[in-house]
Amino acid sequence: MATEPVYRAILVVDVVGSSQRTDVEKPLMREAMYGALTVAFARAGLRWGSCRREDRGDGAYLLIPPEVPKPVLAGDLVAAIDGVLAEPRPGGASWPRLRLSLHAGEVMVDDEGSSGLDVDLALALAGAAPARRALDV
């Protein structure tokens, strides 16, 4: 049971159009999302294994340790994600389109997961109407 909040950067990743995918397509979508993220983390010099991850089915959210500098997150990591998604995907399939939000704040962490107003805000930002409209095609 969590007793004290911890400060973490919060990265939310949401796959665009996931609700239109079939049950057969969804695991492939998630595999591609995680593949892109792990490559981007490596390119940004971040350790994927140092982050607590929670799968959301159509996305994920990550709690990133506080010692990671903000310029690395907002600059290097975001650029690395963008760069990976701009490259051809191995095997020829396209990468899933992703909405991201990056926030930081107090998080309650326990054995079952994490929660807090800052987590709620980060999740809401990724799914907000302006973010959705920006990716409408």
Side-chain angles (χ1 to χ4, degrees), residues 10 14 23 37 39 46 48 51 68 83 86 89-91 98-99 115-116 118 135:
I10 306 161
D14 188 42
D23 287 345
L37 291 174
V39 169
L46 299 174
W48 178 254
C51 301
V68 176
R89 185 171 161 206
L98 304 177
R99 273 190 306 274
S115 63
D118 289 308
L135 292 173

Side-chain angles (χ1 to χ4, degrees), residues 11-13 30 33-34 48 51-63 107-115 119 123:
L11 175 66
V12 175
V13 181
R30 291 173 62 245
M33 176 195 69
Y34 283 116
W48 178 254
C51 301
R52 182 179 181 125
R53 298 177 302 280
E54 296 190 25
D55 187 80
R56 309 297 286 182
D58 63 347
Y61 86 89
L62 294 85
L63 300 179
V107 179
M108 298 296 290
V109 178
D110 59 33
D111 293 340
E112 303 301 324
S114 57
S115 63
V119 171
L123 290 164

Side-chain angles (χ1 to χ4, degrees), residues 6-92:
V6 294
Y7 182 84
R8 295 290 182 270
I10 306 161
L11 175 66
V12 175
V13 181
D14 188 42
V15 176
V16 175
S18 62
S19 63
Q20 285 88 35
R21 297 182 190 249
T22 67
D23 287 345
V24 173
E25 294 170 321
K26 288 186 183 219
L28 300 172
M29 169 197 77
R30 291 173 62 245
E31 180 182 334
M33 176 195 69
Y34 283 116
L37 291 174
T38 56
V39 169
F41 266 68
R43 288 183 184 176
L46 299 174
R47 289 184 337 113
W48 178 254
S50 70
C51 301
R52 182 179 181 125
R53 298 177 302 280
E54 296 190 25
D55 187 80
R56 309 297 286 182
D58 63 347
Y61 86 89
L62 294 85
L63 300 179
I64 301 169
E67 60 270 7
V68 176
K70 291 174 190 171
V72 171
L73 294 173
D76 299 347
L77 179 59
V78 171
I81 293 169
D82 190 47
V84 169
L85 297 177
E87 297 170 2
R89 185 171 161 206

